[in-house]
Amino acid sequence: MATTRTAKTHWEGNLLQGKGTVALESSKVGTYDVNWPARAEQPNGVTSPEELIAAAHSSCYSMAFSHGLAGKGYTVETLDTQADVTFQPGEGITGIALSVKAKVPGLSEEDFQAAAADAKANCPVSQALAGVKNITLSAELLA
């Protein structure tokens, strides 16, 4: 069954001096301030489209990785994923660095790395971000 999720942004002013809010409408979990300085300089308590993409990518990747491992008969003890999205003004998103650390009892390093790469290739957010030229993955299997 298909699902649709909705976010809404209200913006006032021009790009450089303007500001806005983005509301997570489907879940109603919050409304967050957005502006250009948070995107191109320091966040200072304000989010950006790239941070929201990082949140989407790290959570989707974690779900895909966990699901893939379960399909192979493994139980994930812990899985911690970070997504660092790099934005270059004038160029756009130039790279995403995924890093994951996981505890998966009984899983070999070779099978872990293969499953990590498979999750990167097949998570729906990774697929949606296929236009980003440089998406890297660092995967560490913890003892």
Side-chain angles (χ1 to χ4, degrees):
M1 170 171 56
T3 59
T4 300
R5 299 295 180 255
T6 304
K8 289 183 181 177
T9 298
H10 173 78
W11 188 264
E12 297 174 359
N14 66 25
L15 174 62
L16 299 180
Q17 288 83 36
K19 62 183 180 178
T21 57
V22 59
L24 305 182
E25 289 292 311
S26 301
S27 63
K28 303 288 188 203
V29 297
T31 299
Y32 304 94
D33 293 332
V34 292
N35 63 28
W36 178 255
R39 191 171 193 187
E41 299 165 16
Q42 293 298 315
N44 295 320
V46 178
T47 196
S48 68
E50 291 72 28
E51 184 177 33
L52 296 170
I53 288 170
H57 204 177
S58 66
S59 59
C60 182
Y61 177 85
S62 295
M63 291 178 189
F65 196 13
S66 175
H67 180 67
L69 289 170
K72 293 180 181 349
Y74 294 100
T75 301
V76 171
E77 220 173 89
T78 62
L79 207 156
D80 293 297
T81 305
Q82 179 171 319
D84 298 308
V85 175
T86 301
F87 173 75
Q88 178 64 46
E91 292 181 43
I93 295 174
T94 58
I96 300 172
L98 287 171
S99 59
V100 61
K101 294 181 181 184
K103 285 186 183 180
V104 186
L107 183 61
S108 73
E109 181 68 28
E110 183 179 340
D111 289 343
F112 173 75
Q113 293 297 330
D118 183 66
K120 176 183 169 262
N122 292 304
C123 118
V125 172
S126 288
Q127 292 174 349
L129 295 170
V132 177
K133 294 177 184 139
N134 186 27
I135 300 178
T136 62
L137 172 66
S138 169
E140 180 181 351
L141 181 59
L142 303 172

